[in-house]
Amino acid sequence: MSGYYTDDVHGPHEYFELGNFALTTGYTLPNARLGYKTIGTLNAARDNAVLAPHMFSGTSAFMEAYVGEGRPLDPATHFVILPGQFGGGFSSSPSNTPAPFDRGQFPLVAIADDVIAQHRLVTEHFGITTLRAVLGWSMGGQQTYEWAVRFPEMVPRAAVFAATARNPVHNQIFIDTWNELLTSDPAFRDGFYDDPAEVRLGLQRLAVSFSLMGLSSAFFRQELWRGLGFASSDDFRQGFIRGYFAPMDPNNLIAQGRKWRASDISAHTGGDLAAALGRITAQFFVVPFTEDLFFPPEDCEADCAQIPNGHYRPIETPMGHFGMFGLRPEDPAAVDAVIAEMLAS
């Protein structure tokens, strides 16, 4: 397995055993497990827990970047739970599940399955009946929407960064594109390669698509890669984007991508998105990044307008969807400001 999935780089994960887990997609995942980390201490009242699921291609270690002394997610005050997601490499995934659900045979999973597993962790393992907040970026935001609709009584406040309640069609086409680019590598072998590194060409092709969609035209027009220590746009794409995806497992990415593509909270209301959004009782902060091509601000604003206690807080950044990577200091500072407002609501 790739070194990307070696969790002792950022500290060890803990594991919650789910047993034979019935997926909402019609399969049963045998001996399923949910990897997670925690930072801080759960108080005696069990009311200081913040759940922060992660994005596509990330791990729970990514969200650690937003937890720290003196920051809104201060471990001296909050008990921060950082769950993995199915397909993420630590929780049950194509790369770590035995046959007959290994590699290219991994069953279809959904955002709802992640949230149901997280709910079991929160309630059964930690004995928490109400979370202080749920927040996430991108696929973590999709999970946040699912939490707020599926378990509204447990989510008094929430923040979604760069995500929508229903995955936009344009976004679905992008997912189809990178999936074709990845799986067209002859080394992919229908998902039954022996080593992820064999699918080098497919991972490089996937990185090209994210170079196009993950950032804005302003990023390249203003040559902002210079401030990040790269000599050219090609150097940035090779050193940052391709370098980011190179150690990942293609099957894991595909499993996550299928969830991302199908995400739609209107499944709770027979396809009626307005009715689903109307079920949200949380103080709910909708936070797009300007020039985001995955989840455009106008789509996020339309969602927010249908949430009873919706608060629209766009963040201006030329980094597009990658605004939460913190490549410029202004971006995590803006994210922290929204988190602080959300926690105070």
Side-chain angles (χ1 to χ4, degrees), residues 82-111:
L82 306 173
Q85 62 167 292
F86 291 129
F90 290 106
S91 300
S92 292
S93 304
S95 62
N96 61 24
T97 299
F101 292 119
D102 62 316
R103 299 181 289 174
Q105 301 180 112
F106 193 73
L108 181 66
V109 290
I111 292 290

mmCIF file of all heavy atoms in Angstrom, residues 82-111:
data_model
loop_
_atom_site.group_PDB
_atom_site.id
_atom_site.type_symbol
_atom_site.label_atom_id
_atom_site.label_comp_id
_atom_site.label_asym_id
_atom_site.label_seq_id
_atom_site.Cartn_x
_atom_site.Cartn_y
_atom_site.Cartn_z
ATOM 1 N N LEU A 82 -12.431 13.591 13.935
ATOM 2 C CA LEU A 82 -12.038 13.636 12.530
ATOM 3 C C LEU A 82 -12.228 12.251 11.932
ATOM 4 O O LEU A 82 -11.337 11.399 12.001
ATOM 5 C CB LEU A 82 -10.573 14.074 12.409
ATOM 6 C CG LEU A 82 -10.210 15.388 13.114
ATOM 7 C CD1 LEU A 82 -8.709 15.619 13.059
ATOM 8 C CD2 LEU A 82 -10.955 16.566 12.491
ATOM 9 N N PRO A 83 -13.398 11.978 11.356
ATOM 10 C CA PRO A 83 -13.655 10.635 10.825
ATOM 11 C C PRO A 83 -13.081 10.462 9.429
ATOM 12 O O PRO A 83 -13.027 11.404 8.629
ATOM 13 C CB PRO A 83 -15.191 10.575 10.795
ATOM 14 C CG PRO A 83 -15.591 11.994 10.507
ATOM 15 C CD PRO A 83 -14.570 12.863 11.216
ATOM 16 N N GLY A 84 -12.662 9.239 9.125
ATOM 17 C CA GLY A 84 -12.346 8.898 7.755
ATOM 18 C C GLY A 84 -13.634 8.658 6.986
ATOM 19 O O GLY A 84 -14.728 8.754 7.534
ATOM 20 N N GLN A 85 -13.497 8.360 5.708
ATOM 21 C CA GLN A 85 -14.674 7.987 4.916
ATOM 22 C C GLN A 85 -14.390 6.676 4.213
ATOM 23 O O GLN A 85 -13.227 6.304 4.005
ATOM 24 C CB GLN A 85 -15.023 9.073 3.899
ATOM 25 C CG GLN A 85 -13.966 9.367 2.854
ATOM 26 C CD GLN A 85 -14.508 10.214 1.714
ATOM 27 O OE1 GLN A 85 -15.336 9.748 0.938
ATOM 28 N NE2 GLN A 85 -14.055 11.455 1.618
ATOM 29 N N PHE A 86 -15.447 5.958 3.903
ATOM 30 C CA PHE A 86 -15.279 4.727 3.141
ATOM 31 C C PHE A 86 -14.587 5.058 1.817
ATOM 32 O O PHE A 86 -14.969 5.989 1.110
ATOM 33 C CB PHE A 86 -16.628 4.064 2.867
ATOM 34 C CG PHE A 86 -17.302 3.501 4.095
ATOM 35 C CD1 PHE A 86 -18.630 3.807 4.388
ATOM 36 C CD2 PHE A 86 -16.619 2.660 4.965
ATOM 37 C CE1 PHE A 86 -19.260 3.285 5.505
ATOM 38 C CE2 PHE A 86 -17.242 2.134 6.092
ATOM 39 C CZ PHE A 86 -18.562 2.453 6.365
ATOM 40 N N GLY A 87 -13.554 4.296 1.507
ATOM 41 C CA GLY A 87 -12.775 4.555 0.307
ATOM 42 C C GLY A 87 -11.600 5.472 0.536
ATOM 43 O O GLY A 87 -10.816 5.712 -0.385
ATOM 44 N N GLY A 88 -11.438 5.982 1.738
ATOM 45 C CA GLY A 88 -10.368 6.935 2.015
ATOM 46 C C GLY A 88 -9.024 6.317 2.316
ATOM 47 O O GLY A 88 -8.030 7.035 2.428
ATOM 48 N N GLY A 89 -8.976 5.003 2.493
ATOM 49 C CA GLY A 89 -7.697 4.337 2.736
ATOM 50 C C GLY A 89 -7.502 3.867 4.157
ATOM 51 O O GLY A 89 -6.724 2.938 4.401
ATOM 52 N N PHE A 90 -8.165 4.513 5.128
ATOM 53 C CA PHE A 90 -8.081 4.074 6.525
ATOM 54 C C PHE A 90 -9.353 3.343 6.928
ATOM 55 O O PHE A 90 -9.297 2.236 7.456
ATOM 56 C CB PHE A 90 -7.824 5.271 7.451
ATOM 57 C CG PHE A 90 -6.438 5.833 7.296
ATOM 58 C CD1 PHE A 90 -6.223 7.031 6.645
ATOM 59 C CD2 PHE A 90 -5.339 5.136 7.758
ATOM 60 C CE1 PHE A 90 -4.952 7.539 6.480
ATOM 61 C CE2 PHE A 90 -4.060 5.636 7.598
ATOM 62 C CZ PHE A 90 -3.862 6.841 6.955
ATOM 63 N N SER A 91 -10.507 3.947 6.702
ATOM 64 C CA SER A 91 -11.759 3.210 6.855
ATOM 65 C C SER A 91 -11.832 2.151 5.757
ATOM 66 O O SER A 91 -10.985 2.121 4.861
ATOM 67 C CB SER A 91 -12.939 4.173 6.746
ATOM 68 O OG SER A 91 -12.884 5.175 7.746
ATOM 69 N N SER A 92 -12.818 1.277 5.801
ATOM 70 C CA SER A 92 -12.929 0.217 4.801
ATOM 71 C C SER A 92 -12.876 0.814 3.395
ATOM 72 O O SER A 92 -13.597 1.763 3.072
ATOM 73 C CB SER A 92 -14.247 -0.539 4.988
ATOM 74 O OG SER A 92 -14.228 -1.271 6.194
ATOM 75 N N SER A 93 -12.004 0.247 2.570
ATOM 76 C CA SER A 93 -11.688 0.793 1.251
ATOM 77 C C SER A 93 -11.308 -0.338 0.309
ATOM 78 O O SER A 93 -10.985 -1.445 0.757
ATOM 79 C CB SER A 93 -10.506 1.774 1.359
ATOM 80 O OG SER A 93 -10.757 2.808 2.291
ATOM 81 N N PRO A 94 -11.289 -0.075 -0.996
ATOM 82 C CA PRO A 94 -10.818 -1.109 -1.928
ATOM 83 C C PRO A 94 -9.414 -1.602 -1.617
ATOM 84 O O PRO A 94 -9.105 -2.774 -1.831
ATOM 85 C CB PRO A 94 -10.860 -0.387 -3.283
ATOM 86 C CG PRO A 94 -11.908 0.659 -3.133
ATOM 87 C CD PRO A 94 -11.791 1.120 -1.705
ATOM 88 N N SER A 95 -8.573 -0.723 -1.084
ATOM 89 C CA SER A 95 -7.169 -1.069 -0.848
ATOM 90 C C SER A 95 -6.944 -1.918 0.390
ATOM 91 O O SER A 95 -5.861 -2.480 0.566
ATOM 92 C CB SER A 95 -6.337 0.211 -0.733
ATOM 93 O OG SER A 95 -6.772 0.987 0.382
ATOM 94 N N ASN A 96 -7.942 -2.029 1.277
ATOM 95 C CA ASN A 96 -7.703 -2.752 2.533
ATOM 96 C C ASN A 96 -8.796 -3.768 2.865
ATOM 97 O O ASN A 96 -8.838 -4.289 3.980
ATOM 98 C CB ASN A 96 -7.528 -1.775 3.699
ATOM 99 C CG ASN A 96 -8.745 -0.895 3.944
ATOM 100 O OD1 ASN A 96 -9.871 -1.235 3.588
ATOM 101 N ND2 ASN A 96 -8.523 0.266 4.554
ATOM 102 N N THR A 97 -9.685 -4.041 1.914
ATOM 103 C CA THR A 97 -10.781 -4.977 2.140
ATOM 104 C C THR A 97 -10.492 -6.296 1.433
ATOM 105 O O THR A 97 -10.123 -6.295 0.253
ATOM 106 C CB THR A 97 -12.107 -4.388 1.605
ATOM 107 O OG1 THR A 97 -12.390 -3.166 2.322
ATOM 108 C CG2 THR A 97 -13.262 -5.354 1.786
ATOM 109 N N PRO A 98 -10.623 -7.422 2.119
ATOM 110 C CA PRO A 98 -10.330 -8.713 1.478
ATOM 111 C C PRO A 98 -11.386 -9.112 0.451
ATOM 112 O O PRO A 98 -12.500 -8.574 0.435
ATOM 113 C CB PRO A 98 -10.300 -9.694 2.650
ATOM 114 C CG PRO A 98 -11.130 -9.052 3.714
ATOM 115 C CD PRO A 98 -10.951 -7.580 3.552
ATOM 116 N N ALA A 99 -11.034 -10.052 -0.418
ATOM 117 C CA ALA A 99 -11.981 -10.609 -1.390
ATOM 118 C C ALA A 99 -13.193 -11.183 -0.646
ATOM 119 O O ALA A 99 -13.067 -11.645 0.487
ATOM 120 C CB ALA A 99 -11.290 -11.696 -2.207
ATOM 121 N N PRO A 100 -14.371 -11.098 -1.223
ATOM 122 C CA PRO A 100 -14.664 -10.716 -2.613
ATOM 123 C C PRO A 100 -14.989 -9.241 -2.823
ATOM 124 O O PRO A 100 -15.563 -8.881 -3.852
ATOM 125 C CB PRO A 100 -15.886 -11.573 -2.927
ATOM 126 C CG PRO A 100 -16.644 -11.589 -1.622
ATOM 127 C CD PRO A 100 -15.584 -11.651 -0.555
ATOM 128 N N PHE A 101 -14.610 -8.371 -1.869
ATOM 129 C CA PHE A 101 -14.899 -6.948 -2.016
ATOM 130 C C PHE A 101 -13.615 -6.131 -2.135
ATOM 131 O O PHE A 101 -13.615 -4.943 -1.846
ATOM 132 C CB PHE A 101 -15.749 -6.460 -0.843
ATOM 133 C CG PHE A 101 -17.148 -7.032 -0.821
ATOM 134 C CD1 PHE A 101 -17.590 -7.796 0.241
ATOM 135 C CD2 PHE A 101 -18.017 -6.802 -1.881
ATOM 136 C CE1 PHE A 101 -18.870 -8.318 0.257
ATOM 137 C CE2 PHE A 101 -19.305 -7.309 -1.877
ATOM 138 C CZ PHE A 101 -19.737 -8.076 -0.809
ATOM 139 N N ASP A 102 -12.541 -6.753 -2.560
ATOM 140 C CA ASP A 102 -11.271 -6.056 -2.686
ATOM 141 C C ASP A 102 -11.158 -5.332 -4.027
ATOM 142 O O ASP A 102 -11.864 -5.638 -4.979
ATOM 143 C CB ASP A 102 -10.112 -7.044 -2.548
ATOM 144 C CG ASP A 102 -10.130 -8.107 -3.649
ATOM 145 O OD1 ASP A 102 -11.217 -8.639 -3.943
ATOM 146 O OD2 ASP A 102 -9.048 -8.378 -4.224
ATOM 147 N N ARG A 103 -10.303 -4.358 -4.100
ATOM 148 C CA ARG A 103 -9.884 -3.671 -5.321
ATOM 149 C C ARG A 103 -11.070 -3.306 -6.218
ATOM 150 O O ARG A 103 -11.966 -2.580 -5.794
ATOM 151 C CB ARG A 103 -8.832 -4.530 -6.037
ATOM 152 C CG ARG A 103 -7.583 -4.756 -5.167
ATOM 153 C CD ARG A 103 -6.524 -5.571 -5.857
ATOM 154 N NE ARG A 103 -6.924 -6.974 -5.999
ATOM 155 C CZ ARG A 103 -6.214 -7.877 -6.665
ATOM 156 N NH1 ARG A 103 -5.073 -7.538 -7.262
ATOM 157 N NH2 ARG A 103 -6.628 -9.130 -6.729
ATOM 158 N N GLY A 104 -11.101 -3.802 -7.433
ATOM 159 C CA GLY A 104 -12.166 -3.455 -8.368
ATOM 160 C C GLY A 104 -13.516 -4.040 -8.030
ATOM 161 O O GLY A 104 -14.510 -3.752 -8.714
ATOM 162 N N GLN A 105 -13.596 -4.864 -6.977
ATOM 163 C CA GLN A 105 -14.873 -5.465 -6.561
ATOM 164 C C GLN A 105 -15.496 -4.755 -5.369
ATOM 165 O O GLN A 105 -16.491 -5.227 -4.824
ATOM 166 C CB GLN A 105 -14.657 -6.943 -6.196
ATOM 167 C CG GLN A 105 -14.089 -7.782 -7.317
ATOM 168 C CD GLN A 105 -13.890 -9.231 -6.888
ATOM 169 O OE1 GLN A 105 -14.559 -10.130 -7.351
ATOM 170 N NE2 GLN A 105 -12.944 -9.440 -5.984
ATOM 171 N N PHE A 106 -14.900 -3.635 -4.942
ATOM 172 C CA PHE A 106 -15.434 -2.939 -3.773
ATOM 173 C C PHE A 106 -16.854 -2.473 -4.071
ATOM 174 O O PHE A 106 -17.127 -1.925 -5.145
ATOM 175 C CB PHE A 106 -14.546 -1.746 -3.418
ATOM 176 C CG PHE A 106 -14.813 -1.157 -2.068
ATOM 177 C CD1 PHE A 106 -14.423 -1.828 -0.912
ATOM 178 C CD2 PHE A 106 -15.439 0.074 -1.936
ATOM 179 C CE1 PHE A 106 -14.656 -1.287 0.343
ATOM 180 C CE2 PHE A 106 -15.689 0.625 -0.695
ATOM 181 C CZ PHE A 106 -15.288 -0.058 0.452
ATOM 182 N N PRO A 107 -17.785 -2.668 -3.145
ATOM 183 C CA PRO A 107 -19.185 -2.322 -3.427
ATOM 184 C C PRO A 107 -19.404 -0.813 -3.502
ATOM 185 O O PRO A 107 -18.642 -0.028 -2.936
ATOM 186 C CB PRO A 107 -19.939 -2.929 -2.247
ATOM 187 C CG PRO A 107 -18.942 -2.972 -1.143
ATOM 188 C CD PRO A 107 -17.624 -3.266 -1.802
ATOM 189 N N LEU A 108 -20.461 -0.436 -4.176
ATOM 190 C CA LEU A 108 -20.858 0.955 -4.246
ATOM 191 C C LEU A 108 -21.266 1.437 -2.856
ATOM 192 O O LEU A 108 -22.069 0.792 -2.174
ATOM 193 C CB LEU A 108 -22.042 1.100 -5.207
ATOM 194 C CG LEU A 108 -22.590 2.510 -5.422
ATOM 195 C CD1 LEU A 108 -21.575 3.388 -6.127
ATOM 196 C CD2 LEU A 108 -23.892 2.452 -6.220
ATOM 197 N N VAL A 109 -20.677 2.547 -2.440
ATOM 198 C CA VAL A 109 -21.036 3.154 -1.159
ATOM 199 C C VAL A 109 -21.534 4.577 -1.420
ATOM 200 O O VAL A 109 -21.300 5.147 -2.490
ATOM 201 C CB VAL A 109 -19.862 3.168 -0.157
ATOM 202 C CG1 VAL A 109 -19.539 1.766 0.314
ATOM 203 C CG2 VAL A 109 -18.627 3.815 -0.771
ATOM 204 N N ALA A 110 -22.220 5.142 -0.440
ATOM 205 C CA ALA A 110 -22.839 6.452 -0.600
ATOM 206 C C ALA A 110 -22.440 7.369 0.551
ATOM 207 O O ALA A 110 -21.991 6.909 1.608
ATOM 208 C CB ALA A 110 -24.366 6.311 -0.638
ATOM 209 N N ILE A 111 -22.612 8.669 0.327
ATOM 210 C CA ILE A 111 -22.391 9.647 1.390
ATOM 211 C C ILE A 111 -23.204 9.269 2.632
ATOM 212 O O ILE A 111 -22.733 9.383 3.768
ATOM 213 C CB ILE A 111 -22.790 11.057 0.901
ATOM 214 C CG1 ILE A 111 -21.820 11.553 -0.186
ATOM 215 C CG2 ILE A 111 -22.843 12.034 2.072
ATOM 216 C CD1 ILE A 111 -20.438 11.898 0.280
#
